[in-house]
Amino acid sequence: YGTPIEERDAGTDYPLTGVDCVDVVVTDLAILRRRDGEWLLEEVAEGFTPDEIQALTDMDIKVAVAS
């Protein structure tokens, strides 16, 4: 679950992305899509709830799936 990339030390081995160049984030727990400048939680992995996904991210997200 780690630290968000933008908060990691500048010496990270991970590639950093530019601002506003990503529209979809796919993880083993959820799919988030940016629409009209907001991040929407579109899919949640079986066994998790939207509230749990929100608690695990520092992103400001809106829930677009049923609980």
Side-chain angles (χ1 to χ4, degrees), residues 5-57:
I5 290 175
E6 61 272 5
E7 292 182 12
R8 291 188 186 140
D9 185 290
T12 183
D13 292 333
Y14 297 104
L16 302 177
T17 57
V19 175
D20 293 332
C21 69
V22 174
D23 291 320
V24 178
V25 175
V26 178
T27 74
D28 55 339
L29 299 179
I31 297 177
L32 298 110
R33 186 176 310 270
R34 185 172 43 175
R35 296 224 172 129
D36 300 322
E38 296 183 320
W39 285 100
L40 303 176
L41 179 61
E42 290 191 341
E43 293 186 36
V44 175
E46 186 175 328
F48 289 87
T49 67
D51 288 338
E52 290 172 317
I53 301 302
Q54 284 183 311
L56 291 170
T57 183

